[in-house]
Amino acid sequence: MIRPDFEKMDGLVPAIAQDAETGEVLMMAYMNEEAWNKTLESGEVHYWSRSRQELWHKGGTSGHTQTVKSIRIDCDDDTVLFLIDQIGGAACHKGYRSCFYRELKDGEVRECSPLVFDPKEVYK
């Protein structure tokens, strides 16, 4: 069994969600040991919300959950990569497919990921 070293960074490790089929990086959040265990138990990714200081089931409100297909841990045991199936099409709480929806290219900023839902309608 592989397991992140939660001691290294005061109990939190970066967790990257990547689309298992396309390879697109969808988001990065943090995970504590409780979120890790809940993810393993449920098969859906859970994170630790640093702003709310609570466990966070991705998609628990919006329905845009992340089903785990594979889990990878880096060589230092302090970063987790989840290969996931993004249910509902959006990983970003702002309604975009990816949290990395803005791109700086040739000196110009543009949106590079589709808007999937209106957050004002989902997070009432």
Side-chain angles (χ1 to χ4, degrees), residues 16-24 26-27 39 43-45 47 58 64-71 81-87 91 97:
I16 301 163
Q18 181 178 21
D19 187 290
E21 191 173 314
T22 68
E24 180 182 17
L26 299 175
M27 62 176 283
T39 298
E44 292 186 348
V45 186
Y47 298 102
K58 178 63 181 157
H64 295 256
T65 58
Q66 296 176 340
T67 304
V68 176
K69 298 298 181 185
S70 178
I71 302 173
L81 173 65
F82 289 99
L83 300 177
I84 56 105
D85 181 15
Q86 180 63 56
I87 307 302
R97 165 90 179 135

Side-chain angles (χ1 to χ4, degrees), residues 3 5 19 28 32 40 60 67 81 96 98-99 107 112 114-115:
R3 184 169 196 79
D5 184 350
D19 187 290
M28 195 290 292
N32 65 3
L40 293 181
T67 304
L81 173 65
Y96 292 90
S98 171
C99 291
C112 58
L115 185 64

Side-chain angles (χ1 to χ4, degrees), residues 19-87:
D19 187 290
E21 191 173 314
T22 68
E24 180 182 17
V25 175
L26 299 175
M27 62 176 283
M28 195 290 292
Y30 291 90
M31 177 173 273
N32 65 3
E33 195 164 7
E34 180 184 12
W36 169 261
N37 291 333
K38 194 74 171 166
T39 298
L40 293 181
E41 290 169 17
S42 70
E44 292 186 348
V45 186
H46 289 68
Y47 298 102
W48 177 256
S49 172
R50 295 179 304 157
S51 59
R52 296 187 311 265
Q53 291 292 296
E54 65 184 19
L55 187 67
W56 159 41
H57 174 213
K58 178 63 181 157
T61 301
S62 68
H64 295 256
T65 58
Q66 296 176 340
T67 304
V68 176
K69 298 298 181 185
S70 178
I71 302 173
R72 299 179 184 180
I73 296 182
D74 78 328
C75 57
D76 293 324
D77 296 328
D78 59 9
T79 302
V80 181
L81 173 65
F82 289 99
L83 300 177
I84 56 105
D85 181 15
Q86 180 63 56
I87 307 302

